Amino acid sequence: YEANQLLFWVARGRLAWAEALAGRGEAERASEQAVRALQPAQKHAFAAIEARAAALVSGTPTAAPGSPR
């Protein structure tokens, strides 16, 4: 997606990976991926991705849409 400048999907993919890592208890790796998702999300105003990535970076993840709470 990066090569084609599909930045929403780059950010979304990184966020998905971060959430998967967090779900497996790999907080440090999850935070690293969340930071990588946060950068394009902030730059291009992808608000939903930005909020979820920021929560992972801060250590207070939010539930993904459609997931059980």
Side-chain angles (χ1 to χ4, degrees):
Y1 294 117
E2 286 180 80
N4 294 318
Q5 296 296 308
L6 300 172
L7 299 176
F8 175 83
W9 294 108
V10 169
R12 181 62 187 97
R14 290 175 181 163
L15 174 63
W17 184 236
E19 290 173 334
L21 289 167
R24 294 188 339 205
E26 298 184 46
E28 186 175 330
R29 289 182 63 206
S31 181
E32 291 169 5
Q33 287 302 314
V35 166
R36 294 185 69 208
L38 195 53
Q39 293 165 343
Q42 289 174 328
K43 184 175 181 181
H44 300 285
F46 304 144
I49 293 174
E50 182 178 351
R52 289 168 52 196
L56 279 169
V57 170
S58 72
T60 56
T62 59
S67 67
R69 295 184 189 251

